[in-house]
Amino acid sequence: MTTEDAPLADLGRTVRALRREADLSQRELARRSGVPQATIARIESGRATDPRFHTVERLVRAVGGTLTVALPAGPASSVAPATAPTAVSAAEVTCALPPVPHDELRDTAGRRYPAHLDVWPVREPKDWPGAWWADWYNLPPPLWPLRLPPAAYERNRGHRDRRRAADRVRRDVRVRWVEGDGRPATAWRFVAELPDGTLLGELRAHERDLHLVYGDDWDWPRELVLDGVLVAAGHRRIGIGDRLVAAMAQRMDDRGIGLVRTVVEEHIAIRFLSACGFRVASARPLAMTLKRPAGPAPRPP
């Protein structure tokens, strides 16, 4: 295979992957490398099909990488006689960096989204930060005040760093059943932990039936009472509570328990449990409270 026929690296994809790994915009990479932003844009879009070697080297060095050029091992790598035709073996060019996960997404104008940002598809209003009505009004699509974009991203670096940290936690967290800590067999406890043992969440529940209450020998159906689900501050709304409830549901199936009850006091908790499959028990009265003003009681007239 001659050098003209050898496969070429997708330089645009490689530069986008480098930029994402370094968390740099095109403008920031241009400032670090000294390569004009317009040149970087042409390389990433594939319009600059034959950039200068020193241009590529400056881009790679600007993100802390190294550029290596090597011939394949074997007889083809030895120096050929001057009279012999120039030939090399086909070498596969690979990039050790993970590819940009949203490289296939395009905006309404057909352009790629910024490679260094975290882009996610917008399927419903809650996926888009611009949908201010998503958490307050359950509007049908014909009444949405704004048209949803195909995808969204966050430009604020602090928000982006928190989102990436949340993705790492979501990937690494593990849920396990706790036993051997002195609780009775009817008391349930699940914890969500990181590999280093950091506790991020906990679910507690207990079994209940008439046999446990009255001590008779009748085979009453058992049910479960959910005492609470707690998730550490800073790690909420990333699926930890949902995984704890899913682990509880799986153990219910294993133990033959088909019903779980709970008392909910906050609207946010109602929404969370509703998303996990819970339904409001309309046959039960609502919990109510009466708060008296502080201070001495008024004298009767």
Side-chain angles (χ1 to χ4, degrees):
M1 181 179 292
T2 63
T3 55
E4 289 77 9
D5 298 329
L8 300 177
D10 189 340
L11 185 60
R13 180 175 297 178
T14 302
V15 172
R16 290 194 299 274
L18 284 170
R19 205 159 51 76
R20 176 175 177 79
E21 188 70 15
D23 197 10
L24 297 174
S25 65
Q26 287 184 352
R27 183 175 302 174
E28 292 168 330
L29 179 57
R31 186 166 56 249
R32 286 192 181 190
S33 64
V35 177
Q37 181 183 354
T39 301
I40 298 175
R42 286 197 301 271
I43 292 174
E44 292 192 3
S45 64
R47 288 176 290 148
T49 57
D50 191 18
R52 296 177 57 188
F53 178 84
H54 290 297
T55 298
V56 178
E57 186 179 23
R58 288 161 67 183
L59 292 175
V60 173
R61 286 185 174 182
V63 298
T66 57
L67 186 64
T68 303
V69 179
L71 291 173
S77 63
S78 60
V79 178
T83 57
T86 302
V88 295
S89 300
E92 182 181 1
V93 182
T94 60
C95 179
L97 298 173
V100 178
H102 55 266
D103 229 17
E104 75 285 354
L105 293 177
R106 300 292 186 274
D107 62 12
T108 54
R111 299 167 298 190
R112 283 189 178 91
Y113 288 91
H116 68 295
L117 301 181
D118 295 327
V119 180
W120 59 91
V122 175
R123 299 185 179 90
E124 53 185 330
K126 71 176 184 178
D127 297 332
W128 182 37
W132 50 267
W133 70 92
D135 289 336
W136 302 100
Y137 305 101
N138 187 20
L139 298 178
L143 297 181
W144 288 349
L146 299 173
R147 180 183 175 186
L148 300 184
Y153 56 87
E154 176 58 64
R155 297 184 63 180
N156 183 283
R157 189 178 296 273
H159 293 172
R160 189 164 70 248
D161 291 343
R162 286 191 292 271
R163 185 181 181 89
R164 293 186 181 183
D167 288 339
R168 290 192 294 270
V169 169
R170 188 183 295 111
R171 182 188 64 243
D172 297 338
V173 68
R174 297 291 182 269
V175 174
R176 68 179 179 90
W177 163 259
V178 179
E179 55 184 351
D181 59 349
R183 291 173 296 108
T186 55
W188 293 21
R189 184 187 178 206
F190 293 90
V191 295
E193 299 173 326
L194 292 177
D196 62 359
T198 302
L199 181 64
L200 299 183
E202 181 174 350
L203 180 151
R204 293 202 179 198
H206 66 275
E207 299 179 27
R208 182 178 67 178
D209 61 14
L210 293 181
H211 170 70
L212 294 174
V213 174
Y214 297 111
D216 55 45
D217 296 330
W218 293 1
D219 188 16
W220 294 97
R222 288 180 299 167
E223 63 181 37
L224 195 69
V225 177
L226 176 60
D227 298 320
V229 182
L230 298 176
V231 177
H235 299 286
R236 295 165 185 164
R237 304 191 71 175
I238 62 173
I240 294 178
D242 181 70
R243 292 179 62 175
L244 287 166
V245 174
M248 178 192 70
Q250 180 61 52
R251 187 168 180 84
M252 288 174 61
D253 294 341
D254 297 340
R255 300 289 296 271
I257 300 176
L259 179 65
V260 56
R261 302 183 187 274
T262 186
V263 176
V264 185
E265 298 179 354
E266 299 178 1
H267 180 67
I268 295 177
I270 294 174
R271 290 176 52 197
F272 162 66
L273 292 177
S274 297
C276 294
F278 280 74
R279 294 294 178 265
V280 175
S282 57
R284 298 204 167 198
L286 297 176
M288 301 183 66
T289 181
L290 174 64
K291 186 175 181 180
R292 301 291 294 165
R299 293 177 177 273

